[in-house]
């Protein structure tokens, strides 16, 4: 529980400075498909609502169902992964993801849509933490951050590439075709998962110890993980809480069209991809130099504050768009560093810790959106609340980094 880094589970003879990306093809494909579905539903809401004859607000309850189910069940399913192995929860989650997309594709009413979205959230809650834990414990230590960053980049590519592809399919063959494509793509990934995720993975060999509730909350008992989870909550209150109102801010400032906002979404995805890859690479270089304290963690918080400020207050559209890119480079880098921390600080809690990262992310998003909405006009409150929370997150991240360094010295 107090080790500063995990022992690499890479096969003997595997290069320390590189890793075999094809070895992770199955989980990388799954991350891309998860990212696609996460971002796909919102732009399809008007079409879906018209098809099943409900309001857009009612159709949006499917999005709420996905988020709530993931946030509530991810820690429990992460614990199952830590106790009984990655393969079981990963394959079960993947199969359920196939069924949930089939369910969405054949939904004829709101109840069916909401149920299918809830099942998709449950599927992602089972498979997601297991994926991150699998990457963290099998990638060579020297490139662990790069491997996690690539996985996060592919998740972000769901927005950058998967959503336009899904939109094209929906326009050509109806919205249901996008969910059929997700179901087929996920089913095709199952044989790869069965080949690439071993049945005798390290988690399955770890004896179960302690009660379920105690194990579920064990991460909060570790001082470093507890601080990291609190910082994660505050960071995403600024990051995704402010993102909720990004369209409002840009429309009020520059009177952008819906099409222009779609292009801003491309910048969001591109920034996230770049930040994820950059965060992984820079983190690996820092660890190679003996700095295992994630020294860039507070930097991402400071960059987030700068990005929000430039977006909401910067002079002119070009500066605002540069702010959007800075904002989401910081977001991608921060998430990669946090996944690296979850995968190394407490090896026996990898999946549970990763699941808590997602749950606190959603909690932070809700708190941030509430704070910005309660403060007053969103265009005015977004830069104030978002920047202040980002600065607080940067200060908290500095404490996390200091705690990691002290633990390294003590160990």
């Amino acid at each position: 529980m107090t080790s500063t880094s995990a022992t690499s589970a890479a096969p003997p003879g595997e290069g320390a400075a590189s890793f075999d990306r094809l070895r992770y093809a199955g989980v990388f494909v799954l991350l891309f498909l998860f990212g696609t579905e996460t971002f796909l539903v919102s732009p399809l809401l008007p079409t879906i609502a018209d098809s099943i004859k409900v309001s857009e607000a009612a159709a949006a309850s499917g999005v709420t169902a996905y988020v709530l189910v993931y946030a509530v069940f991810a820690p429990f399913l992460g614990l199952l992964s830590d106790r009984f192995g990655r393969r079981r929860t990963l394959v079960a989650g993947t199969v359920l993801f196939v069924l949930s997309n089939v369910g969405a594709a054949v939904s004829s009413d709101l109840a069916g849509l909401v149920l299918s979205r809830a099942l998709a959230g449950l599927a992602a809650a089972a498979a997601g933490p297991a994926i991150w834990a699998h990457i963290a414990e099998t990638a060579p230590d020297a490139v662990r951050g790069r491997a996690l960053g690539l996985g996060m980049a592919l998740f972000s590519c769901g927005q950058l590439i998967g959503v336009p592809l899904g939109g094209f399919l929906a326009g050509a063959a109806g919205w249901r075709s996008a969910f059929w494509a997700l179901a087929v793509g996920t089913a095709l990934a199952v044989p790869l998962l069965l080949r690439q995720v071993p049945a005798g993975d390290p988690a399955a060999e770890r004896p179960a110890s302690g009660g379920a509730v105690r194990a579920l909350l064990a991460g909060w008992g570790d001082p470093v993980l507890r601080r990291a989870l609190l910082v994660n909550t505050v960071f995403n209150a600024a990051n995704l809480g402010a993102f909720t109102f990004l369209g409002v801010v840009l429309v009020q400032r520059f009177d952008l069209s819906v099409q222009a906002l779609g292009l801003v979404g491309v910048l969001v995805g591109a920034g996230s991809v770049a930040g994820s890859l950059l965060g992984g690479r820079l983190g690996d270089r820092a660890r190679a130099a003996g700095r295992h304290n994630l020294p860039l963690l507070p930097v991402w918080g400071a960059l987030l504050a700068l990005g929000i400020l430039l977006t909401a207050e910067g002079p002119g559209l070009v500066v605002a768009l540069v702010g959007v890119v800075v904002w989401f480079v910081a977001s991608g880098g921060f998430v990669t560093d946090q996944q690296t921390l979850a995968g190394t600080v407490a090896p026996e809690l990898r999946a549970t810790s990763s699941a808590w990262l997602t749950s606190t992310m959603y909690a932070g998003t809700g708190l941030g959106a509430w704070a910005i909405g309660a403060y007053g006009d969103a265009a005015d409150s977004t830069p104030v609340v978002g920047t202040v929370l980002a600065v607080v997150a940067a200060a908290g991240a500095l404490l996390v980094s200091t705690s990691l360094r002290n633990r390294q010295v003590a160990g």
Side-chain angles (χ1 to χ4, degrees), residues 139-410:
D141 183 66
V143 292
R144 181 175 294 130
R146 204 173 307 174
L148 290 167
L150 180 56
M152 186 55 62
L154 287 167
F155 180 87
S156 298
C157 279
Q159 178 180 9
L160 190 61
I161 299 173
V163 170
L165 287 176
F168 174 79
L169 273 176
W175 66 270
R176 300 177 191 278
S177 64
F179 290 99
W180 280 116
L182 284 168
V184 171
T186 307
L188 292 175
V190 172
L192 274 176
L193 294 174
L194 293 174
R195 286 180 56 192
Q196 296 178 337
V197 181
D201 62 76
E205 298 165 6
R206 206 173 287 135
S209 61
V213 174
R214 182 177 178 182
L216 184 68
L217 300 176
W220 290 92
D222 182 285
V224 173
L225 280 175
R226 181 171 62 250
R227 289 170 187 157
L229 291 171
L230 292 174
V231 168
N232 194 60
T233 305
V234 177
F235 183 94
N236 283 293
N239 176 28
L240 299 179
F243 177 63
T244 304
F245 299 96
L246 177 60
V248 174
V249 170
L250 293 177
V251 168
Q252 287 196 23
R253 293 196 67 200
F254 306 109
D255 194 27
L256 297 184
S257 65
V258 173
Q259 290 80 6
L261 288 176
L263 294 176
V264 173
V266 173
L267 291 180
V268 169
S272 298
V273 170
S276 299
L277 296 174
L278 183 65
R281 186 172 293 273
L282 293 179
D284 286 339
R285 288 183 180 179
R287 284 189 297 280
R291 300 191 300 275
H292 293 271
N293 59 311
L294 299 175
L296 288 175
L297 201 58
V299 174
W300 303 127
L303 281 178
L304 175 64
L306 175 63
I308 293 174
L309 202 57
L310 287 175
T311 301
E313 299 288 344
L317 179 59
V318 172
V319 173
L321 294 180
V322 169
V324 170
V325 174
V326 171
W327 178 342
F328 285 93
V329 166
S331 176
F334 177 86
V335 171
T336 299
D337 266 0
Q338 286 282 71
Q339 288 290 354
T340 303
L341 185 151
T344 56
V345 167
E348 72 277 17
L349 297 171
R350 282 191 176 105
T352 310
S353 300
S354 177
W356 277 116
L357 283 178
T358 305
S359 292
T360 52
M361 178 191 75
Y362 285 137
T365 301
L367 288 172
W370 171 82
I372 292 171
Y375 188 90
D377 182 78
D380 296 327
S381 59
T382 296
V384 176
V385 176
T387 303
V388 168
L389 288 173
V391 170
V392 172
L398 184 60
L399 290 176
V400 171
S401 183
T402 301
S403 298
L404 283 169
R405 185 170 59 248
N406 292 341
R407 179 176 288 190
Q408 181 183 359
V409 171

Side-chain angles (χ1 to χ4, degrees), residues 38-63:
T38 298
F39 299 112
L40 178 63
V41 176
S42 292
L44 294 182
L45 273 180
T47 305
I48 293 173
D50 183 63
S51 174
I52 62 176
K53 297 178 173 56
V54 298
S55 67
E56 292 181 16
S61 60
V63 177

